[in-house]
Amino acid sequence: MSPSLTLLGLLALTSVSSSYGKIYENASDIPSLDSYGYVIVGGGLTGSVVASRLTENSNTTVLVLEAGVSHQGVEIIEVPGLQSFTGPGTIYNWNYTSVPQVHLLNNTIPAPRGHVLGGSSSINGMWYTRGSSADYDRWANVTGDQGWLWDELQSYFKKSESLVAPVDGHNTTGQYDPALHGTQGPLQVTVGGFSQSLDQLVMGRLDQDFPFIEDYDNGEPIGFGWTQTTIGNGSRSSAATAYLDDYLNRTNLDVAVNSLAIRIFASNGSRIDTVTFTANGLPINVTARVEVLLAAGVFNTPHILLNSGIGDASELSAMNIPVVHNLPSVGKNLTEQPAISSLWNTSNPVSAAQAEVDYENAIAQWNSNRTGRMVLAISNTVGFARMNVSSPEVQALVEEYGELAPGPASPHFELLPTNAFDAETNFENAQFIFDSVNLVPYSRGSVTLNSANPLGPPLIDYNFYSAPQDILVMRQAVLGALSFISTPDWQDFLTAPASSLLAAVVDEYPNVSNATMDAYIRATTSISFHAVGSCSMSPAGADWGVVDPDFHVKGVAGLRVIDTSIMPFAPAGHSQAAAYVIAERAADIIKGST
Ligand SMILES: Cc1cc2nc3c(=O)[nH]c(=O)nc-3n(C[C@H](O)[C@H](O)[C@H](O)COP(=O)(O)OP(=O)(O)OC[C@H]3O[C@@H](n4cnc5c(N)ncnc54)[C@H](O)[C@@H]3O)c2cc1C
Ligand SMILES: *[C@@H]1O[C@H](CO)[C@@H](O)[C@H](O)[C@H]1NC(C)=O
Ligand SMILES: *[C@@H]1O[C@H](CO)[C@@H](O)[C@H](O)[C@H]1NC(C)=O
Ligand SMILES: *[C@@H]1O[C@H](CO)[C@@H](O)[C@H](O)[C@H]1NC(C)=O
Ligand SMILES: *[C@@H]1O[C@H](CO)[C@@H](O)[C@H](O)[C@H]1NC(C)=O
Ligand SMILES: *[C@@H]1O[C@H](CO)[C@@H](O)[C@H](O)[C@H]1NC(C)=O
Ligand SMILES: *[C@@H]1O[C@H](CO)[C@@H](O)[C@H](O)[C@H]1NC(C)=O
Ligand SMILES: *[C@@H]1O[C@H](CO)[C@@H](O)[C@H](O)[C@H]1NC(C)=O
Ligand SMILES: *[C@@H]1O[C@H](CO)[C@@H](O)[C@H](O)[C@H]1NC(C)=O
Ligand SMILES: *[C@@H]1O[C@H](CO)[C@@H](O)[C@H](O)[C@H]1NC(C)=O
Ligand SMILES: *[C@@H]1O[C@H](CO)[C@@H](O)[C@H](O)[C@H]1NC(C)=O
Ligand SMILES: *[C@@H]1O[C@H](CO)[C@@H](O)[C@H](O)[C@H]1NC(C)=O
Ligand SMILES: *[C@@H]1O[C@H](CO)[C@@H](O)[C@H](O)[C@H]1NC(C)=O
């Protein structure tokens, strides 16, 4: 949605007081170009975590190169309720768009990523969801590394996290299980600090078909529960606020913003050691003494590798890029969870004028004491579900494709109930959005170079619904949402579908024809923002994959990838909790191996 610049002008926010350490705005000020132990490409979620953990050892020196700007003092990043102002079309976003999606009527769909310290954790929706235990056990299985088992990772989940009280001080007993959460970690996580009438409508709907779950981070997330978000004391907790801000005074940690990495290479022999980046339009080489760590994210890490001649040899040769190492999986197996936002009109109309007043009041309240609507990200409740096996369609689907989730207690789809935002005011205005997300996508896409401009935006192809089971699961996810709202309370609240395609589906419900359902799905499918897999882990020695389970790029010395591109499968949830765990583990492995 497009931010309203007039309203942004109303944001007379108090300036954030903090003793900021050194962030080099001008790369000319970086003190040395050949003395750092590690050069980390990308100061996003994983890059910030690893930089912070590695520099706990005062002998380890780290330079972080971040293409975007600093997050510090940026109100639309700090205030959770202003999250949608950081979308495409701002300096905080890479503004990428997919190639036309052949199974989605050739629609192009967004591919946003954070272009700022903290990366996508500075612009994301702040949902904190770990997925299921079977997701991580499958990683262990696929990579042959038992360190990825859910049980083994529990210490890292806790190490990264501090579960903190919500700012409204409400009684959280029964809203999460404290035993599952960390209390000493840098990343602040909380349940919603502002209640909405929607919360009770959701909780009042729960029954045996849609059960309550006390804490969906228990490894078996089936049910509706209270949303946990990366928010503390009313403000966004990102990798940059949690892992960088308090440690920038370390003399062994340097962070350079406005520094766009272009390629990596071996300056002497075959060990990768140098990063070429541009700052102020000029190229600069920086050499790492120990290793180069790529953390540029799911789209840009493969982009940098391909530009550096590490990728499929024939594809590189076709683009006249000298082949440094033939690694065909680079940029392949891109995985994203398709999502559909079903929009409804409600019987609770709020005029645009009233929404604007509410919005201004909420901003004023946040300014005065960090409470009120602005401390919420998107929604206080979220549900995870499995397909209904009593349905003949689901039985046929399972018969043909087998169990699509990695385990019997792992969900197939997610349902997200949300008050709709008004496009002008970015504030609740009488509509309701129900997101249906396919959590078990089998379609695999790609990130490739654009031959017209290899240094420009990569070609991003989610390739949604190329695997036929994915749209069949999406049908069930949409039906699940319709079933949820089929009760009298919900029918009183919702007056009409807000689009004719959804209205056609609703008219036929519950016996929705495949044609009507698929017309809706193909026209409205978008992303859930959880792309992974473009530089997947695989077992050491495997003939596919990009990195070994210890993050080393296969067949290339001196180089690791430490970001979400290494996930071989998407966890059944939002990806950031898994990203924090990957980064915490990467830091430990890197510390142990030097
Ligand atoms: C809009 C949006 C909403 C989301 N909502 C949620 C949510 O609610 N919950 C959840 O769990 N997950 C969410 N996610 C996903 C989650 O934020 C990401 O999975 C996670 O941040 C990925 O971490 P990363 O380190 O791999 O990449 P990023 O965090 O994206 O970091 C990559 C960093 O590298 C930098 N970079 C890239 N290329 C270069 C280059 N060439 N040179 C230098 N620097 C470079 C980028 O600017 C960025 O700072 C969302 C993502 C987005 C984009
Ligand atoms: C960066 O610093 C150099 C050296 O001090 C200076 O010449 C240059 O003008 C600065 N660039 C910007 C954009 O400030
Ligand atoms: C740092 O290096 C010095 C000299 O090699 C060594 O004595 C010291 O123990 C190291 N410190 C840490 C924290 O590893
Ligand atoms: C995204 O678009 C905005 C608006 O055009 C622009 O200012 C910003 O620089 C773009 N981001 C990138 C990384 O190019
Ligand atoms: C999508 O684009 C392809 C290639 O241009 C074309 O063959 C196809 O007919 C298009 N499909 C639709 C639904 O427009
Ligand atoms: C993965 O799981 C399958 C089936 O349970 C098993 O046969 C296989 O040995 C496992 N692989 C690894 C690497 O653990
Ligand atoms: C919080 O709620 C629980 C369960 O309803 C109750 O047992 C407990 O006493 C409450 N705590 C406080 C501080 O009110
Ligand atoms: C939380 O925010 C309030 C109001 O800004 C501030 O007074 C308080 O010190 C903060 N607490 C923490 C733990 O940061
Ligand atoms: C950095 O600041 C923190 C908190 O103010 C302090 O505890 C720490 O000692 C400082 N570290 C250095 C290297 O100055
Ligand atoms: C970076 O190193 C490469 C390879 O040695 C060299 O060709 C290039 O000129 C260097 N660039 C700069 C800006 O020093
Ligand atoms: C994609 O991942 C699968 C494992 O999930 C693997 O078998 C296959 O080789 C990968 N494809 C590429 C091109 O890397
Ligand atoms: C915060 O301010 C609002 C009014 O702006 C007030 O209603 C509320 O009680 C205050 N909350 C706290 C915890 O001070
Ligand atoms: C709808 O599609 C499913 C799966 O492809 C199929 O089993 C079912 O027979 C179709 N229904 C109708 C009415 O065509």
Side-chain angles (χ1 to χ4, degrees):
M1 71 196 58
S2 60
S4 155
L5 294 174
T6 12
L7 276 155
L8 275 180
L10 292 170
L11 304 185
L13 297 176
T14 49
S15 69
V16 191
S17 70
S18 171
S19 52
Y20 295 146
K22 66 187 171 319
I23 292 178
Y24 296 108
E25 298 281 340
N26 182 342
S28 304
D29 299 332
I30 296 173
S32 161
L33 294 174
D34 61 3
S35 68
Y36 294 98
Y38 296 89
V39 174
I40 299 181
V41 175
L45 192 162
T46 51
S48 298
V49 173
V50 172
S52 188
R53 291 300 186 194
L54 290 184
T55 54
E56 286 171 345
N57 181 333
S58 56
N59 287 348
T60 302
T61 55
V62 171
L63 172 67
V64 176
L65 297 174
E66 168 54 45
V69 296
S70 170
H71 65 292
Q72 291 177 343
V74 181
E75 292 87 353
I76 56 175
I77 288 175
E78 185 182 1
V79 184
L82 300 180
Q83 183 262 345
S84 66
F85 286 110
T86 57
T90 68
I91 60 168
Y92 310 110
N93 207 292
W94 284 87
N95 309 328
Y96 290 157
T97 303
S98 79
V99 302
Q101 296 295 289
V102 294
H103 302 288
L104 301 180
L105 314 175
N106 287 341
N107 291 332
T108 60
I109 46 186
R113 288 287 112 182
H115 179 250
V116 54
L117 283 177
S120 300
S121 77
S122 289
I123 68 161
N124 69 17
M126 291 162 269
W127 267 289
Y128 181 84
T129 73
R130 295 174 181 170
S132 74
S133 58
D135 288 318
Y136 299 88
D137 294 349
R138 177 166 58 180
W139 290 4
N141 186 293
V142 168
T143 62
D145 177 353
Q146 303 303 293
W148 290 113
L149 289 169
W150 166 261
D151 286 348
E152 297 294 320
L153 292 173
Q154 288 310 302
S155 60
Y156 289 120
F157 281 118
K158 290 187 173 172
K159 183 179 186 183
S160 67
E161 181 191 20
S162 273
L163 204 118
V164 298
V167 289
D168 62 1
H170 76 264
N171 187 342
T172 58
T173 304
Q175 296 196 342
Y176 64 87
D177 179 359
L180 299 173
H181 296 276
T183 56
Q184 305 295 316
L187 181 71
Q188 295 185 308
V189 177
T190 192
V191 290
F194 180 74
S195 64
Q196 299 182 295
S197 57
L198 185 62
D199 307 344
Q200 289 316 318
L201 200 54
V202 172
M203 288 298 166
R205 167 66 180 88
L206 304 188
D207 61 9
Q208 61 188 14
D209 292 338
F210 297 102
F212 176 73
I213 185 167
E214 180 182 19
D215 192 323
Y216 56 66
D217 282 333
N218 68 356
E220 301 192 342
I222 305 295
F224 275 74
W226 296 98
T227 305
Q228 298 164 21
T229 48
T230 44
I231 293 171
N233 205 22
S235 296
R236 176 193 293 269
S237 186
S238 70
T241 65
Y243 285 87
L244 288 182
D245 281 348
D246 289 346
Y247 309 106
L248 289 167
N249 61 351
R250 288 179 183 159
T251 55
N252 54 334
L253 172 60
D254 286 339
V255 176
V257 293
N258 308 314
S259 298
L260 174 74
I262 301 294
R263 62 186 280 261
I264 50 176
F265 62 93
S267 67
N268 178 18
S270 62
R271 187 179 178 83
I272 297 285
D273 62 357
T274 305
V275 182
T276 303
F277 67 101
T278 62
N280 306 319
L282 296 175
I284 301 174
N285 289 336
V286 59
T287 297
R289 294 194 166 222
V290 185
E291 276 180 335
V292 172
L293 307 176
L294 291 182
V298 69
F299 304 132
N300 287 356
T301 284
H303 191 213
I304 292 167
L305 286 170
L306 294 170
N307 263 321
S308 307
I310 300 171
D312 184 278
S314 56
E315 291 173 22
L316 293 172
S317 299
M319 301 198 54
N320 296 318
I321 292 176
V323 177
V324 171
H325 182 62
N326 178 24
L327 200 53
S329 293
V330 172
K332 307 294 165 54
N333 269 333
L334 177 69
T335 308
E336 168 65 307
Q337 299 158 335
I340 289 182
S341 294
S342 295
L343 183 64
W344 292 79
N345 296 327
T346 75
S347 56
N348 185 25
V350 178
S351 69
Q354 184 60 43
E356 190 167 325
V357 169
D358 292 348
Y359 172 81
E360 287 168 28
N361 288 341
I363 293 275
Q365 183 171 348
W366 190 89
N367 267 327
S368 79
N369 62 18
R370 303 288 194 270
T371 66
R373 170 60 183 86
M374 285 295 159
V375 309
L376 285 190
I378 294 177
S379 169
N380 279 332
T381 57
V382 58
F384 300 93
R386 286 178 62 80
M387 295 186 292
N388 178 1
V389 287
S390 66
S391 146
E393 262 95 39
V394 173
Q395 288 163 8
L397 170 52
V398 172
E399 188 147 322
E400 181 160 8
Y401 298 100
E403 169 59 86
L404 296 174
S410 198
H412 296 121
F413 61 87
E414 180 175 4
L415 299 176
L416 292 164
T418 311
N419 285 318
F421 289 101
D422 176 78
E424 267 302 295
T425 58
N426 184 42
F427 210 63
E428 279 82 21
N429 188 19
Q431 283 182 310
F432 169 72
I433 299 173
F434 212 0
D435 280 353
S436 298
V437 182
N438 176 346
L439 295 172
V440 290
Y442 282 81
S443 300
R444 295 292 180 262
S446 61
V447 177
T448 51
L449 296 176
N450 183 345
S451 59
N453 177 13
L455 295 181
L459 301 180
I460 296 167
D461 187 358
Y462 296 118
N463 204 14
F464 277 147
Y465 303 138
S466 56
Q469 62 270 49
D470 288 0
I471 194 166
L472 303 181
V473 173
M474 188 53 103
R475 290 178 188 168
Q476 299 305 317
V478 172
L479 290 172
L482 293 177
S483 168
F484 191 90
I485 60 171
S486 63
T487 59
D489 282 356
W490 279 86
Q491 291 300 304
D492 287 347
F493 172 54
L494 302 176
T495 52
S499 78
S500 56
L501 284 169
L502 178 57
V505 172
V506 172
D507 281 349
E508 294 180 17
Y509 181 79
N511 298 309
V512 188
S513 68
N514 291 338
T516 302
M517 181 61 98
D518 290 356
Y520 177 58
I521 291 175
R522 292 189 197 283
T524 60
T525 290
S526 191
I527 49 168
S528 60
F529 307 99
H530 306 140
V532 302
S534 56
C535 294
S536 179
M537 290 190 281
S538 68
D543 62 0
W544 66 280
V546 175
V547 299
D548 289 343
D550 67 357
F551 306 90
H552 274 121
V553 175
K554 293 173 183 294
V556 182
L559 181 65
R560 301 195 211 217
V561 173
I562 56 170
D563 61 32
T564 48
S565 62
I566 70 157
M567 295 187 201
F569 288 85
H574 306 240
S575 46
Q576 70 170 340
Y580 281 105
V581 155
I582 285 176
E584 288 282 10
R585 183 161 192 241
D588 260 12
I589 288 176
I590 294 166
K591 279 178 173 177
S593 63
T594 53

